[in-house]
Amino acid sequence: MLLGPTAVRAADPFTIRLAGATLADQTIAESGFAFPAGSSTVYVVGDGNVAEQLVAGIAGGLGRSAVLATPSSALSAAVSTELVRLKPARVIVVGASVAEAVLASIRAAVPTASVGRTWKTNAIQSAVEISKQLRGSTGGTL
């Protein structure tokens, strides 16, 4: 049983296994590995909606940004700590399943960051909206 985020080097020298006991721990492990110096943008998603998680994952990959999952009803202490470490200028909550209390907790954890939510009526429309936002920030290319 894993007690927290871990990175384990596999027998293959080019493979690293990142693991966590929960989805939140998993995303923290990935964030710590991929963004050791921080991330200017962080996508936050609830841990219970796969469609929202897919949209956030794609957005994070295309935008070269960290993605963190948290319980939808409350920001976990571990995710709050990771947000502070990342020092983002912008936090985008993806999806309707994340409670407004989570956004308030994010604002308290990283008070200098711009915090908002992106969500349309379904995951496909949300992906299109995020794609438009990313296209603007990448000079028209994804």
Side-chain angles (χ1 to χ4, degrees):
M1 177 178 182
L2 297 171
L3 299 177
T6 59
V8 178
R9 190 146 312 264
D12 175 356
F14 300 104
T15 302
I16 294 175
R17 181 174 181 254
L18 301 171
T22 66
L23 181 58
D25 287 340
Q26 176 72 34
T27 60
I28 291 167
E30 293 166 359
S31 171
F33 181 79
F35 302 97
S39 178
S40 62
T41 300
V42 176
Y43 291 90
V44 175
V45 66
D47 64 2
N49 187 306
V50 174
E52 292 173 358
Q53 293 163 9
L54 288 171
V55 172
I58 291 167
L62 290 174
R64 293 173 181 85
S65 302
V67 177
L68 298 172
T70 189
S72 295
S73 60
L75 184 67
S76 77
V79 171
S80 179
T81 299
E82 182 64 3
L83 280 168
V84 170
R85 186 195 69 78
L86 289 167
K87 299 181 198 111
R90 184 169 69 150
V91 179
I92 301 168
V93 175
V94 177
S97 69
V98 175
E100 284 298 319
V102 173
L103 276 79
S105 296
I106 292 169
R107 287 183 185 102
V110 285
T112 60
S114 166
V115 179
R117 181 191 302 267
T118 295
W119 191 245
K120 297 297 181 183
T121 57
N122 61 48
I124 293 170
Q125 290 176 348
S126 297
V128 169
E129 179 63 27
I130 289 174
S131 172
K132 288 177 185 176
Q133 293 171 10
L134 288 170
R135 190 173 317 119
S137 67
T138 60
T141 60
L142 292 179

